[in-house]
């Protein structure tokens, strides 16, 4: 994956789905960038104000499980609460899990600009360290 900055994300066309890529110097930053990439595939959050603070834990697992766990939580809260994160902070916990915090807003406060993701596909899921830091790639079912 070619990176234009030390930390970032992008979405790419994918047959009937959406594929996102994210990168950062460390795993936690990469996971936070993946959240931003997921949200940007379907919502324009520019101008939206935070309405709530959300915190949750992702149980210990391998890197792929942690990535899926964080992204699944975005989709779950979107479906059940009608909320989405405006920013995201991910921290590793001592037990191998994650503590995730984000400021969120209602979907009513943003412009929907794409198909809302329904699930994270496990097909061609990637997260790993490399010479320039961590990167991940995920396909989202829409």
């Amino acid at each position: 994956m070619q990176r234009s900055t030390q930390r970032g994300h992008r979405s790419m066309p994918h047959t009937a789905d959406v594929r996102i890529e994210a990168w950062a110097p460390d795993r936690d930053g990469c996971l936070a960038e993946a959240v931003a990439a997921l949200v940007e595939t379907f919502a324009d959050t520019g101008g939206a104000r935070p309405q709530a603070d959300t915190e949750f834990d992702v149980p210990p697992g391998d890197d792929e499980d942690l990535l899926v766990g964080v992204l699944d939580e975005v989709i779950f809260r979107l479906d059940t609460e009608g909320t989405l994160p405006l920013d995201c902070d991910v921290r590793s916990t001592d037990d191998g899990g994650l503590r995730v915090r984000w400021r969120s807003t209602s979907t009513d406060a943003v412009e929907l600009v794409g198909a809302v993701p329904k699930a994270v596909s496990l097909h061609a899921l990637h997260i790993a360290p490399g010479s320039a830091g961590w990167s991940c790639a995920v396909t989202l079912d829409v």
Side-chain angles (χ1 to χ4, degrees):
M1 158 183 338
Q2 184 176 355
R3 297 184 204 132
S4 58
T5 63
Q6 288 243 339
R7 183 175 171 138
H9 57 268
R10 67 180 175 183
S11 62
M12 302 176 345
H14 191 269
T15 310
D17 294 315
V18 175
R19 184 122 173 116
I20 59 172
E21 294 180 346
W23 56 92
D26 57 34
R27 184 188 69 181
D28 295 350
C30 185
L31 295 169
E33 287 294 329
V35 169
L38 183 155
V39 171
E40 287 180 11
T41 66
F42 70 92
D44 178 359
T45 60
R49 296 186 180 273
Q51 298 171 343
D53 291 324
T54 301
E55 182 176 292
F56 63 93
D57 292 326
V58 178
D62 61 26
D63 296 327
E64 290 83 7
D65 291 339
L66 297 174
L67 173 61
V68 171
V70 172
L71 298 180
D72 275 348
E73 189 72 18
V74 175
I75 295 169
F76 172 76
R77 290 183 186 259
L78 179 65
D79 288 343
T80 61
E81 300 173 354
T83 62
L84 55 95
L86 295 176
D87 59 36
C88 183
D89 179 59
V90 178
R91 305 279 176 177
S92 298
T93 57
D94 292 339
D95 68 356
L98 301 171
R99 165 99 9 107
V100 181
R101 295 181 178 118
W102 62 50
R103 295 182 308 151
S104 61
T105 193
S106 166
T107 54
D108 294 336
V110 301
E111 180 181 354
L112 298 180
V113 295
V116 175
K118 300 296 180 202
V120 176
S121 173
L122 301 180
H123 177 71
L125 182 75
H126 159 81
I127 182 167
S131 61
W134 282 76
S135 65
C136 67
V138 178
T139 301
L140 304 169
D141 297 330
V142 294

